[in-house]
Amino acid sequence: ELDPLPLIDPTAAAQYLGVRRHTLACYRSLGEGPAYYKFGRWIRYSKADLEAWRNDVDALPFPSEAADVGTLRLVAPALAARFLTVTRPCLANYRLEGIGPRYCRFRRCLHYPVGELHRWAARQRSTQSGGEDKRL
């Protein structure tokens, strides 16, 4: 007799980690999160991989979003816009023009990785002297 692999579906994995199933999908689309198996269109997780990933995440400090560059935390567009001190329509324009921070889309929901918001903001920093932007 052949016993089945000890794998669980994304719904059970999300419950095990205490996150939404959507959050796991966002992690997968960004190439982050716990290791998983993909059999055709079916996604499965091992509890050992989930536990290892949870322990790695729990070991990382979460002092504040401003200092949290290395950890993958996903935030909604409203919080991302507030963090960048821009309006939500401005952030939407950045997405449409392809010049904004990297984001995750799953169905109709968008999320931004906090670390990507930090990296994108750092790339926008200008060290020009003279005060004003010289672009026309």
Side-chain angles (χ1 to χ4, degrees):
E1 186 172 313
L2 187 62
D3 292 329
L5 291 171
L7 302 176
I8 59 176
D9 67 359
T11 302
Q15 288 174 344
Y16 183 78
L17 292 173
V19 298
R20 294 176 43 216
R21 182 180 170 151
H22 168 78
T23 302
L24 284 177
C26 289
Y27 287 146
R28 287 192 308 271
S29 74
L30 291 169
E32 303 282 346
Y36 63 93
Y37 296 85
K38 185 167 184 177
F39 306 118
R41 66 183 179 108
W42 304 101
I43 303 294
R44 296 293 182 256
Y45 292 91
S46 83
K47 282 194 176 180
D49 288 336
L50 295 174
E51 190 63 35
W53 183 77
R54 179 167 53 186
N55 289 339
D56 288 345
V57 170
D58 288 343
L60 295 170
F62 287 98
S64 71
E65 289 177 341
D68 186 21
V69 178
T71 306
L72 182 66
R73 288 183 60 196
L74 302 174
V75 296
L79 186 57
R82 190 172 73 189
F83 171 78
L84 293 172
T85 67
V86 299
T87 63
R88 287 192 310 179
C90 178
L91 194 57
N93 279 339
Y94 291 158
R95 280 194 308 271
L96 289 173
E97 294 174 15
I99 60 172
R102 191 172 70 137
Y103 61 93
C104 166
R105 179 184 297 275
F106 183 72
R107 294 188 183 144
R108 294 178 58 193
C109 298
L110 289 173
H111 293 285
Y112 288 89
V114 172
E116 179 59 25
L117 294 174
H118 285 277
R119 285 186 288 278
W120 185 81
R123 288 192 304 266
Q124 306 313 306
R125 184 172 184 262
S126 173
T127 57
Q128 293 180 353
S129 58
E132 293 183 27
D133 191 357
K134 302 296 183 198
R135 292 179 289 178
L136 296 177

